[in-house]
Each structure stands twice: as C-alpha cells, then as structure tokens.
C-alpha cells in the first residue's frame, strides 16, 4: 500500500492519548480533519484531554487499559459504533520503572512488559483485521531509542519491552508487505521528548512499588534534566509520524544518531568480543 494521502474524514485511534506524544498525535490528526478516539488509563487526564481536543473536531475519549485485550476490543467496538471506520491506529501508551537488576520486583517487570509490549500487541491483534476489512490503513507502534540501546543504567525492563516492540513490529511489517497487505506499519522510536514519561510511575498498579533506589532516582533526575534541555516538543514528533504514514515508512526516528549508535555498539561488540560501557539515559 502506498501510504495515506488524504486524512480528512478518516478515523484515528491513539492509546496513551491523554498526555505527551499521544495527545500531540491526536491534535495533529484533528488538524488534518480526522475524527479521533483517544484511549487512556488515567481517567482525569483523559477527561481533560477529551474536552480540550473536542474544541478542534470530532473526538471521543475512552478509558482503556491496554494491558487487557478485552478492553482494547471494547475500544475498537465503541469507535466503530460511533465513527463507522478506523484508518490509523497509534499503539502509543507506555510506562517506565526500574532499578538495579535484582532490586526490580517481578510485578514491576510484568507491568512494564504488559503495557509497553502486550499493550502494543493487543492493539495490533485487535485493529489489524479491522483495518484490512476497511480496505487499508496504518498502524504506528511506539517504541523508543531504547529499542536499539541496551545497557542504560536502571532501565532494563523498559529496554527489554521496547526491543520486543521492535522485533514484533519489524516482523509484522515484513509479513504484511510480503503478503501485499493494504495495511502499513511504522515504528516510532523517539529520543528525548518533553512529556510526563519521567513521571510514568503515577499510573503504576498497587502491587508495583515506587522505584526509590538512590542510583535509580539519580538516573531519572538526569533524564528529566536532559529532556528539559534537549527534548523535542511532542508536536514535532507528531509531524514526523504524519509524514511517515503518508510515505508508508517504517522507521520514525526523532534522533536517528541515538538509534544508530546502539546498533553500531552491538556490531562492534560482535566483531571484537569487547562489551560496551554502560549508557546514560538520554545520551
Ligand atoms: N518522552 C520521551 O522522551 C519518550 C522517548 C521514547 C519513547 N517514548 C514513548 O512514547 C510513548 C508515549 O509516552 P509519553 O512520552 O507521551 O509519556 P506520557 O506519560 O506523557 O504519556 C503516556 C500515556 O500513556 C498512558 N498509559 C499508561 N499506562 C496505560 C495503560 N495501561 N493503558 C492505557 N494508557 C496508559 C498514560 O496515562 C499517559 O497518558 C510511550 O510508549 C513512551 O515509552 C517517550
């Protein structure tokens, strides 16, 4: 499929749409004359975002926990009932917690993998048949430069979850292209963006403790400072996503050098046998 050129009158679904990159994507889709459904687990933020976006077009907000495939299915059913079609799906909701390896409880691993990987997988499994039946469409899965970079102190669960999104999305895109599908897939892999991601633990389930190790707190403080200094505005990321959907491009890289350095480190490691040094978050 050649990508979507005419967005007006089409429908987009954005998970994690109440904040940050998801909210900016919703704004951008509305500017193109699309109808937009935002889904989020944080009810108060979802209500505020839905009210704000509604001033700019047709919007629906649905509380959805992307970890639960039944809730993602209910989201799809509700959007189809209201808007009649779905053309673009952004599996964007994401969270982060971590620490030194043995300090991270199983529940924290489960939460990060459930939202960041299984949430994206649930979106692909539920929406792909709808897009195909619709005559085509586009799926945007949000990963991170962490999908290319291992060894970032205290962020191992996040890294593993984003590697999983990369592997799944690449394989899906290759399978769909080989089969001549009318659905395109993009992988959004941002570097630092000015959002509430460093405060992702606000949504942690009751059984996930706050990550309070001093080393971990220091990493998050540095990441927040780096993001404030060099982070992109979410609207700039949304512009790139629109371009990628138009052109049907797979990789959407806001900081390509940060992705490439991670790939190169692995190639060098494989060639020399010498493991690379630990990374700083946001570098
Ligand atoms: N901000 C960055 O620097 C950066 C860099 C790389 C990747 N990302 C990725 O971008 C995506 C968007 O994050 P953001 O930076 O806009 O952060 P954000 O915290 O501002 O937005 C994330 C949204 O996801 C929602 N969410 C969390 N758990 C959910 C669940 N179980 N079900 C549904 N919604 C849920 C949150 O409530 C929030 O509204 C994430 O996947 C994140 O990993 C962000």
């Amino acid at each position: 499929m050649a990508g979507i050129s005419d967005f007006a009158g089409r429908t987009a679904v954005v998970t994690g749409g109440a904040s940050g990159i998801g909210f900016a994507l919703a704004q951008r889709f509305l500017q193109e004359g699309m109808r937009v459904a935002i889904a989020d687990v944080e009810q108060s933020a979802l209500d505020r975002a839905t009210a704000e976006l509604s001033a700019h077009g047709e919007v629906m907000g649905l509380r959805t926990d992307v970890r639960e495939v039944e809730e993602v299915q209910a989201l799809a059913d509700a959007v189809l009932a209201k808007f009649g079609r779905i053309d673009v799906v952004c599996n964007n909701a994401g969270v982060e917690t971590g620490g030194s390896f043995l300090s991270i409880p199983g529940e924290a691993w489960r939460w990060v993998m459930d939202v960041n990987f299984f949430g994206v997988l649930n979106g692909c499994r539920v929406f792909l048949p709808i897009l195909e039946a619709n005559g085509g469409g586009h799926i945007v899965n949000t990963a991170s430069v962490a999908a290319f970079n291992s060894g970032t102190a205290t962020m191992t669960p996040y890294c593993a979850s984003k590697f999983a999104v990369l592997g799944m999305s690449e394989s899906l895109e290759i399978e769909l292209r080989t089969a001549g599908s009318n659905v395109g897939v993009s992988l959004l892999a941002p570097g630092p963006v000015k959002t509430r991601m460093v405060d992702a633990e606000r949504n942690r389930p009751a059984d996930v403790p706050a990550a309070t190790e001093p080393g971990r707190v220091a990493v998050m403080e540095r990441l927040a400072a780096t993001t404030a200094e060099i982070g992109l505005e979410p609207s700039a990321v949304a512009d790139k996503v629109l371009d990628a959907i138009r052109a049907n491009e797979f990789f959407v890289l806001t900081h390509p050098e940060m992705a490439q350095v991670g790939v190169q480190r692995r190639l060098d490691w494989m060639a020399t046998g010498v493991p690379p040094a630990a990374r700083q978050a946001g570098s």
Side-chain angles (χ1 to χ4, degrees):
M1 160 175 147
I4 297 175
S5 51
D6 52 330
F7 289 92
R10 295 181 186 261
T11 301
V13 178
V14 183
T15 70
S19 176
I21 295 169
F23 183 78
L25 285 168
Q27 282 181 313
R28 192 70 188 78
F29 291 138
L30 285 170
Q31 278 170 15
E32 295 292 325
M34 296 182 83
R35 292 168 297 192
V36 177
I38 56 170
D40 207 286
V41 79
E42 197 177 349
Q43 185 73 60
S44 54
L46 180 66
D47 292 343
R48 275 195 308 276
T50 307
E52 194 177 332
L53 292 168
S54 294
H56 304 283
E58 261 192 281
V59 178
M60 65 188 287
L62 251 117
R63 190 189 180 280
T64 308
D65 187 337
V66 296
R67 296 178 297 170
E68 307 295 339
V69 73
E70 296 79 10
E71 294 198 18
V72 178
Q73 184 64 58
L75 167 69
D77 294 344
V79 178
L80 283 176
K82 186 164 166 91
F83 291 147
R85 57 182 293 128
I86 298 170
D87 301 279
V88 174
V89 177
C90 298
N91 294 307
N92 167 78
V95 296
E96 202 278 326
T97 186
S100 61
F101 193 81
L102 290 180
S103 78
I104 304 168
E107 291 80 5
W109 272 98
R110 177 66 60 196
W111 176 49
V112 173
M113 291 302 293
D114 273 353
V115 178
N116 293 6
F117 175 64
F118 285 101
V120 172
L121 179 64
N122 287 339
C124 291
R125 293 181 61 217
V126 166
F127 288 104
L128 176 58
I130 295 170
L131 298 183
E132 283 182 330
N134 203 32
H138 206 90
I139 296 174
V140 181
N141 291 337
T142 303
S144 164
V145 287
F148 304 96
N149 287 281
S150 55
T152 303
T154 81
M155 295 182 71
T156 304
Y158 187 75
C159 170
S161 70
K162 297 298 188 179
F163 268 58
V165 173
L166 171 68
M168 187 268 285
S169 302
E170 279 187 0
S171 299
L172 175 61
E173 166 63 0
I174 292 167
E175 180 179 325
L176 292 180
R177 290 254 181 154
T178 306
S181 171
N182 51 16
V183 176
V185 179
S186 294
L187 182 94
L188 170 61
V193 185
K194 292 174 180 161
T195 71
R196 296 190 68 199
M197 183 45 59
V198 286
D199 186 27
E201 286 187 6
R202 69 189 184 279
N203 284 312
R204 73 183 194 281
D207 63 353
V208 176
T212 54
E213 263 187 318
R216 157 75 187 177
V217 173
V219 167
M220 283 299 107
E221 284 172 358
R222 262 200 313 271
L223 181 57
T226 307
T227 303
E229 196 184 320
I230 65 157
L232 286 181
E233 292 299 331
S235 57
V237 180
D239 287 343
K240 279 191 173 290
V241 170
L242 254 285
D243 290 346
I245 298 173
R246 271 201 190 94
N248 194 19
E249 274 173 6
F250 181 74
F251 288 110
V252 190
L253 304 172
T254 66
H255 299 71
E257 66 295 345
M258 286 188 184
Q260 282 156 7
V261 78
V263 175
Q264 191 59 52
R265 274 162 53 105
R266 183 168 306 102
L267 291 174
D268 292 346
W269 188 359
M270 290 165 77
T272 65
V274 180
R279 286 182 74 248
Q280 293 284 332
S283 65

